[in-house]
Each structure stands twice: as structure tokens, then as C-alpha cells.
Amino acid sequence: MQVTINIDNPEPAFAQLTAQIKQGVLGGSLNPGDALPSIRQLAQDLSLNPKTVAKAYRMLERDQVIESKGYRGTFIHQNAMAGSTHDLAAWVHERLTKTIAVLRDAGATDSEIRIAFGNAMNQQISKGT
Amino acid sequence: MQVTINIDNPEPAFAQLTAQIKQGVLGGSLNPGDALPSIRQLAQDLSLNPKTVAKAYRMLERDQVIESKGYRGTFIHQNAMAGSTHDLAAWVHERLTKTIAVLRDAGATDSEIRIAFGNAMNQQISKGT
DNA sequence: TGTTGTACCCTTACCTCAAATGGTACATTA
DNA sequence: TAATGTACCATTTGAGGTAAGGGTACAACA
């Protein structure tokens, strides 16, 4: 499996990583149980900060595409195929689109919606990055 | 009715205006049919840009607290009491809070939610400010 | 000892947006 | 003519966010 980062691509580096690994799973070049390069190794190969690669891995693990096994390394998840299929981001977008439509229908201005959104995001407790 | 702008108040000027006028209605010092100072006049009195006052008036008219009658001026709306009671911003906040909770429950990170929100806001068509 | 993932600290660059301001212009009407 | 609300053009300031980087440190294990 070959991974590449295109600087000219407006897509952030970590997103390019996750997209390519998911493609590798869907395309059959990455199979459940396969070992992935370590965070530090991949970061060095791509001239990226380990934190950037770690972020990509973290997202992929949440989506059940890969599985981190601590000191043993990181591997393709058993349900990687399913995990690579459903698109959480698209679902989030759809969900927000519907809510926004309701708010606008009620007469709320975009400024009001944006400010209320910012407040709501900061007043609730979160865990992830 | 006396209106004041407090520079030290983090609340934006137009919001201070709308809040005070709504308070005037709820407190009985402003009654349906009462004339309000013109946008330019109030702006000059408060050392504000007419656009800032106009923004406050626009919000108040949407909430049915005041009514603009073109060249005749602006007046307290007949349903001003009801309009000053219900809080659209609070409802918007509650609605967004619920949606955000659902998205977070699904595992979405705050970054993902914020980015999706920004996209959703920009991909839909709006009218108001 | 060296490597694994992970969790903190802090900093930078870039971007978007809200808020407010300045100016000009319009139709309407007393 | 003067005043009304309104609609454009534009700019500036400040806040807050993402993405990414640099560095240090930890427990677990071969």
C-alpha cells in the first residue's frame, strides 16, 4: 500500500491519509489484520508531524477501520470494510442541514444561528478532538 | 423611554438596543402605537452608526415588537407584548444543543461538527442578515 | 534500550465571521 | 425641501476556530 500527501490539495493532510487508507480497504489492498506503519514511521516517511498521523489514526480507529494495539502497533480492523463504507461526515452534514433549514424557516438570521451554534458547542461537554 | 449603550458591556450595541426596547414594552413604558425615534435620530443620540440602529429595528420588527411604516416612522407593534416575550434566540440555542448532542453521541468530533456546520450554512440559501 | 500508542505543554499560520463604521442612493410623503 | 426606512458599495477590528508543528513524557513490552 502506497500513501501520498499532496501539498497542493486543499484537503488537510490527516484527511488525505484517512481517505487513502479507507480506499485501500475498499480496494482490497488492505485486509483485516494487516499491520500499518507506526505513527512515527509513517510521519517520517511523509515528512509529517507524528501528531498529524496520530490524528488520522485516531479517526480511523473511531470509524472501526483500524485498531490500535498499544506497543504491538496498529492493524486493519476486522470490520474495516464496513467501517470504510459508511460516511459519518456526510451524515453529520445532512443532520445539520435539516436543523439549519428549520431554524431559518423560523426566521432566525444566519448570524443568530452561528452565534447560537458556537454557544451550544462550548456549553456542552465533549471528549474527542 | 430612555435608551443607553454601555461600551463596557460585551453585549453588542444592537443587542443592547433590542433588549432595552423589549424591556420597555414588558415594563409598560412602551405601548402599542407609540412612536419610536427615527433610525438616524437615535443613531445620533447614541453616537452609533445608523446601520447599527437599523439592525436593531430590523430584528425587533421580525419579532413583532415594532412596526416600520416607511416615511411615517417606526411604532410599537400591536402585539408587542407577545413579541417581547418569546425568545427566538433561546429556542434556536435549544434546538442546536439537541442536534449537537446527537452528533456527539454518534462519535463525531467537535472539529467535524464545526466544519460540517460551516459547510451546511454556506451551501444553503438564506435571505436575512 | 528501543519502540509502541498516547497524552500533555505551547506556538504558528491561515481562515471565516460578527460587529461596527463610512458613504451614497432610492421612492415616498408631508 | 426635508425626513422616513431601506438597500447597496466598501472597510476595519477583533475573536475564535482548524491544521500543523515542536517538544517532552508516560506505561507496556520485546
Side-chain angles (χ1 to χ4, degrees), chain B residues 1-121:
Chain B
M1 171 92 200
Q2 184 70 4
V3 190
T4 311
I5 294 299
N6 182 4
I7 306 291
D8 300 331
N9 191 334
E11 197 78 5
F14 84 91
Q16 294 186 38
L17 273 187
T18 58
Q20 288 181 43
I21 293 180
K22 283 187 177 180
Q23 272 305 312
V25 170
L26 294 175
S29 54
L30 289 178
N31 299 295
D34 285 1
L36 276 82
S38 77
I39 289 180
R40 292 178 178 84
Q41 182 63 51
L42 186 54
Q44 185 175 353
D45 293 351
L46 299 176
S47 299
L48 291 178
N49 190 295
K51 304 190 63 155
T52 303
V53 178
K55 182 175 182 179
Y57 276 26
R58 196 188 322 134
M59 307 301 276
L60 289 169
E61 185 168 28
R62 182 202 59 184
D63 295 344
Q64 303 206 24
V65 174
I66 68 177
E67 192 179 3
S68 294
K69 297 194 175 181
Y71 62 93
R72 263 165 293 175
T74 307
F75 305 86
I76 301 295
H77 195 279
Q78 291 300 326
N79 300 46
M81 192 63 95
S84 301
T85 303
H86 68 49
D87 192 350
L88 178 63
W91 176 77
V92 169
H93 178 88
E94 175 200 353
R95 192 87 187 178
L96 284 170
T97 296
K98 288 181 180 174
T99 297
I100 291 170
V102 171
L103 301 182
R104 281 187 175 147
D105 262 23
T109 67
D110 282 17
S111 300
E112 288 173 315
I113 297 174
R114 284 201 162 94
I115 289 178
F117 173 80
N119 292 337
M121 286 295 292

Side-chain angles (χ1 to χ4, degrees), chain A residues 79-100:
Chain A
N79 299 45
M81 193 61 96
S84 301
T85 302
H86 68 47
D87 190 350
L88 178 62
W91 177 78
V92 169
H93 178 87
E94 175 200 353
R95 192 86 186 178
L96 284 171
T97 296
K98 288 181 180 176
T99 297
I100 291 170

